[in-house]
């Protein structure tokens, strides 16, 4: 967990240098104190440090023993060795230029150049060869190798760059003029990365295993083989930091337009439209210009400085978790970042974190709504490429876009896209849009380059700039289009305090594992398939893509951060009038923390360890809540007009506590229930909660999960168990019962929405409404219920949630959609599910839902006409 604005603490991690006893068979440890670098080297290092301010990328190895340590560099360079020595001294690592004793050897320095001063690529380092021989002679000898990557500037090379031709050294040892240029010009843009240590004995054994047929493998052969492995490792590290060479837009355009797939699409479009090939090719060229990124390292450097300033103005900090997962995968994999989408800040924030942590920033798929004058070109230079919201009806555009994505994947460029399609207005994850995911999979199946791995990424804020806009859009206001005026309005908020931002990189998902799971045939294997087998393979591929989409959303939620604001929102918005006695508020917050600790949602889920009193103080500081003094004890309430915004943050973490809330709701509503009845109702309704909130628990084990949660609630005295078969609520006048009421409330809102839709279908009857009518009617009914309850919270009328609920009814077979008319058919099972409302809703709410659901034809037409007006107004 890191706080980015404090730059000095981001990239360095002081090792614990408390000496430990050396291995009993280890040879004499290096005498670092007596064998310091020469005075000349010290003076040279100090002079270099004045011109070069190198940034440390990644985690610094923690060395807490006296194993001899050597630093491995790609090619010989005095300045590189001096720089490594300066950084090892700063980081309290073994000195790079100090002499080191290894067994009977006494090496004058601890640096190994894989390509030494007068050697060639095929001649191994003499020092490495000596160390290997010493390890072979004494198998108990330990030697540690730390590969070091040094970058004089992090700009990817341009294929046609004159600057590259003049100054590039490829993998050759840098010339004196080139190195002087590096120090004088690139000194302030230099980066150093110390990789995790390699055990030389293990490298020797691995090399022997690779050449098992050659029992007489010489030391020279071993040194050459190990050297090649180390070179490959350093090359991969370099590429993961700065990326591959970049083609300029002219080369990219030519490459895409000349591809056979695009050529075929151009010919088909010419035949379809009657235009000439030249005319269609010009259209395709225009699409390329509209889509492609135009990466500029100078713009990225500007963003680096600008965003460092911006985060310090906006946020108290940026906390990052689990980034080392990405770092380990980056050298050998095609990285696809798939973050949730909360705010326009997501684009900048994620790229900034990745860049500051020492990896190549991704190319970002952005909606063409952001491709506006000035802003669009800036984003394009920072790695954005643009896509239309729909490819429907334009086969040529679709082909060009897919081909561009394929060129990126062939170069193993890291890619980022928001799988929800757009920003969430409610704070919940939106159902995944599978277009980009399908194109990613299609590109890999067509011609795999590197193994593809998806990195689900959770982003949460404690305040968001677009909050008021989101609430307005949920209430029916048309979406505001992006323009320079809206950008200026957003910039006016920079002086406000937006708390802390949280990024958590979730458990990676490897595409190859899904291909094996679904038995997908790829490449040459598909040539022998019959038409029926090919159709089945395509069907399986579609099912796999759908499954990947759901798994990405589940892994995003698994890496959730329960921050102080979201926890505070969950408590206060679950109380009448969003207010609570301060002592009760403190105890309720502590209760949620105890539940999360006793039964963690996932090992990746982080729950704030800030104590409840400090959480209240933090909410007051952000002006989200207010304290009202009272002689019998101060009251805490949500600040004026903040309730709809706080509901957004409550929904960010609702999935973590929803099952505990659901059980509390059942017990509180019924007073007492048999345990098996509670489990059966949970099993019936869980699929709807799972779909809405992308819960990770499989349906087959939900009874076990419910049992574990019940045990925690019993231990907290929130529910009482009688003889292992009956569950009841505590005494109604007890503090525990008041806590149970607050815990039960969040699930109630989801249950009310479900039974609103079920009651509407039951009251209207089968084959009477189509899907659009059901979603729109539920939207208006939700608004009405919200007004009657006077809570003004948008959860009750979020159209996306009603759409998701209807999709789940279809998937589970409770309803069927007629393809031609889009009408909804169902049988008596809908009525039976609706009857369960008596177990989860109070009688007043049930009657209210039944009353509002009894709509006649005129009322239904009136609702649909109103929605059409809103849609037309939104387009204007």
């Amino acid at each position: 967990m890191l706080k980015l604005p404090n730059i000095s603490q981001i990239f360095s991690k002081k090792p614990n240098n408390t000496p430990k006893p050396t291995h009993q068979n280890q040879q004499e440890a290096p005498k670092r104190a007596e064998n310091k670098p020469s005075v000349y080297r010290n003076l040279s290092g100090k002079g270099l440090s004045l011109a070069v301010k190198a940034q440390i990328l990644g985690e610094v190895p923690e060395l807490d023993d006296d194993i001899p340590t050597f630093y491995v560099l790609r090619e010989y360079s005095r300045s590189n060795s001096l720089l490594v020595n300066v950084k090892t001294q700063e980081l309290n690592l073994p000195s790079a230029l100090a002499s080191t004793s290894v067994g009977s050897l006494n090496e004058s320095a601890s640096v190994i150049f894989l390509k030494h001063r007068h050697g060639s690529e095929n001649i191994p380092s003499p020092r490495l060869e000596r160390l290997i021989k010493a390890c072979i002679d004494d198998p108990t000898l330990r030697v540690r190798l730390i590969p070091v990557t040094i970058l004089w500037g992090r700009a990817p090379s341009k294929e046609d760059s004159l600057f590259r031709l003049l100054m590039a050294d490829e993998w050759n040892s840098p010339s004196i003029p080139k190195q002087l240029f590096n120090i004088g010009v690139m000194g302030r843009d230099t980066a150093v990365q110390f990789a995790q240590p390699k055990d030389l004995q293990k490298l020797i054994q691995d090399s022997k295993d690779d050449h098992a047929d050659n029992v007489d493998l010489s030391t020279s052969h071993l040194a050459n083989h190990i050297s090649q492995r180390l070179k490959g490792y350093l090359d991969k590290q370099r590429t993961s930091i700065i990326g591959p060479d970049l083609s300029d837009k002219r080369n990219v355009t030519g490459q895409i337009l000349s591809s056979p797939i695009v050529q075929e699409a151009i010919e088909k479009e010419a035949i379809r439209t009657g235009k000439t090939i030249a005319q269609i090719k010009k259209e395709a060229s225009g699409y390329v210009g509209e889509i492609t990124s135009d990466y500029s390292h100078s713009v990225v450097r500007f963003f680096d400085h600008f965003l460092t300033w911006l985060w310090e103005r906006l946020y108290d900090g940026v906390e990052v978790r689990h980034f080392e997962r990405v770092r380990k995968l980056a050298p050998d994999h095609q990285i696809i970042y798939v973050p949730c989408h909360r705010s326009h800040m997501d684009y900048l924030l994620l790229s900034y974190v990745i860049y500051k942590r020492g990896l190549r920033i991704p190319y970002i798929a952005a909606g063409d709504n952001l491709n506006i004058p000035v802003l669009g070109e800036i984003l394009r230079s920072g790695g954005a490429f643009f896509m239309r919201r729909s490819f429907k009806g334009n086969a040529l555009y679709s082909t060009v876009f897919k081909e561009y994505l394929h060129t990126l994947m062939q170069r193993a460029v890291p890619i980022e896209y928001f799988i929800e399609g757009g920003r969430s207005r409610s704070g919940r994850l939106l159902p995944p849009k599978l277009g980009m995911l399908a194109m990613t999979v299609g590109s890999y199946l067509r011609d795999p380059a590197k193994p593809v791995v998806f990195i689900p990424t959770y982003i949460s804020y404690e305040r968001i700039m677009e909050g008021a806009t989101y609430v307005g859009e949920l209430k029916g206001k048309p979406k505001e289009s992006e323009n320079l005026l809206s950008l200026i309005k957003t910039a006016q908020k920079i002086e406000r305090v937006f708390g802390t931002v949280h990024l958590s990189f979730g458990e990676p998902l490897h595409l190859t594992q899904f291909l094996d799971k679904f038995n997908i045939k790829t490449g040459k294997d598909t040539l022998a398939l019959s038409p029926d087998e090919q159709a089945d393979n395509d069907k399986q591929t579609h099912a796999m893509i759908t499954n990947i989409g759901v798994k990405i959303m589940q892994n995003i939620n698994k890496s959730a951060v329960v921050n102080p604001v979201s926890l505070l929102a969950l408590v206060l918005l679950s109380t009448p009038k969003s207010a609570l006695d301060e002592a009760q508020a403190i105890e309720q917050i502590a209760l949620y923390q105890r539940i999360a600790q006793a039964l963690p949602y996932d090992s990746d889920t982080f729950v704030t360890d800030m104590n409840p009193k400090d959480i209240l103080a933090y909410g007051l500081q952000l002006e989200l809540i207010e304290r009202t003094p009272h002689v019998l004890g101060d009251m805490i309430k949500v600040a004026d007009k903040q309730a709809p915004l706080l509901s957004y943050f409550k929904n960010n973490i609702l999935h973590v506590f929803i099952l505990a809330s659901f059980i509390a709701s059942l017990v509180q509503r019924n007073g007492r229930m048999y345990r098996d009845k509670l489990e059966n109702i949970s099993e019936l309704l869980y699929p709807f909660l799972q779909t809405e909130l992308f819960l990770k628990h499989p349906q087959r084990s939900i009874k076990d999960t419910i049992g574990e949660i019940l045990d925690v609630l019993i231990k907290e005295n929130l529910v009482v168990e009688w003889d292992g078969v009956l569950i009841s609520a505590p005494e109604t006048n007890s503090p525990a019962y008041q806590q149970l009421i607050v815990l039960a409330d969040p699930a109630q809102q989801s249950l009310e929405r479900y039974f609103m839709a079920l009651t509407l279908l039951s009251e209207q009857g089968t084959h009477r409404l189509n899907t659009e009518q059901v979603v729109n009617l539920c939207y208006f009914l939700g608004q009405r219920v919200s007004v009657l309850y006077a809570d003004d919270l948008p959860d009750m009328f979020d159209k996306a949630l009603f759409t998701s609920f209807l999709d789940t009814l279809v998937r589970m077979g409770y309803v069927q959609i007629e393809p031609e008319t889009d009408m909804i058919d169902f049988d008596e099972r809908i009525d039976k599910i609706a009857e369960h409302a008596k177990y989860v809703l109070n009688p007043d709410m049930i009657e209210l839902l039944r009353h509002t659901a009894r709509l006649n034809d005129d009322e239904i037409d009136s609702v649909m006409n109103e929605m059409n007006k809103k849609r037309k107004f939104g387009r204007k």
Side-chain angles (χ1 to χ4, degrees), residues 757-776:
L758 291 168
T759 304
L760 177 66
L761 291 173
S762 181
E763 291 291 332
Q764 294 296 318
T766 185
H767 205 73
R768 174 167 164 74
L769 300 174
N770 60 37
T771 54
E772 183 182 12
Q773 287 174 323
V774 169
V775 171
N776 288 335

Side-chain angles (χ1 to χ4, degrees), residues 549-562:
V550 172
K551 289 296 183 183
I552 287 172
M553 308 311 284
Q554 289 178 348
N555 281 15
I556 289 174
N557 265 347
K558 283 161 64 174
S559 56
V561 176
V562 182

Side-chain angles (χ1 to χ4, degrees), residues 112 114 125-132 145 200 223 226-227:
I112 295 173
L114 298 180
S125 160
R127 178 167 289 149
L128 178 62
E129 199 166 348
R130 290 194 297 270
L131 292 173
I132 291 172
L145 304 182
L200 183 55
I226 292 172
S227 180

Side-chain angles (χ1 to χ4, degrees), residues 422-603:
R423 291 165 292 156
S424 170
R425 268 62 175 174
S426 67
R428 292 175 173 84
L429 294 180
L430 301 175
K433 300 289 194 301
L434 302 178
M436 282 295 297
L437 190 58
M439 285 186 275
T440 303
V441 172
S443 175
Y444 181 83
L445 296 181
R446 169 184 161 187
D447 186 12
K450 282 188 174 183
V452 172
V453 61
F454 299 98
I455 308 293
T457 307
Y458 181 90
I459 306 174
S460 74
Y461 301 85
E462 294 175 348
R463 292 192 74 162
I464 52 174
M465 292 185 177
E466 303 99 325
T469 303
Y470 288 174
V471 174
E473 290 177 12
L474 284 172
K475 290 184 176 181
K477 291 183 180 179
K479 180 181 179 296
E480 294 182 8
S481 59
E482 282 74 13
N483 52 55
L484 284 178
L485 182 60
S486 64
L487 185 65
I488 293 171
K489 288 180 179 178
T490 300
Q492 293 174 347
K493 301 178 181 180
I494 287 179
E495 295 300 327
R496 303 182 189 177
V497 178
F498 286 81
T500 302
V501 185
H502 306 266
L503 273 82
S504 183
F505 293 87
E507 181 184 352
L509 296 169
H510 294 264
L511 178 57
T512 52
Q513 294 178 359
F514 287 90
L515 293 172
D516 293 340
K517 175 183 175 182
F518 284 84
N519 194 27
I520 305 297
K521 302 295 189 297
T522 63
K524 295 180 180 179
D525 294 339
T526 61
L527 298 178
L529 296 178
S530 67
D532 288 344
E533 289 173 331
Q534 183 62 56
D536 184 64
N537 194 60
D538 292 342
K539 183 179 179 181
Q540 283 294 98
T541 301
H542 178 74
M544 178 191 71
I545 291 168
T546 302
N547 185 247
I548 294 173
V550 172
K551 289 296 183 183
I552 287 172
M553 308 311 284
Q554 289 178 348
N555 281 15
I556 289 174
N557 265 347
K558 283 161 64 174
S559 56
V561 176
V562 182
N563 65 52
V565 169
S566 58
L567 195 54
L568 191 59
L570 186 63
V571 168
L572 290 181
L573 294 181
S574 301
T575 62
K577 297 185 179 181
S578 301
L580 199 61
D581 176 83
E582 182 172 4
Q584 289 179 306
I586 289 172
E587 181 51 39
Q588 196 74 31
I589 292 170
L591 172 65
Y592 276 116
Q593 289 177 312
R594 291 197 301 273
I595 291 174
Q597 290 165 358
L599 195 65
Y601 182 77
D602 190 82
S603 58

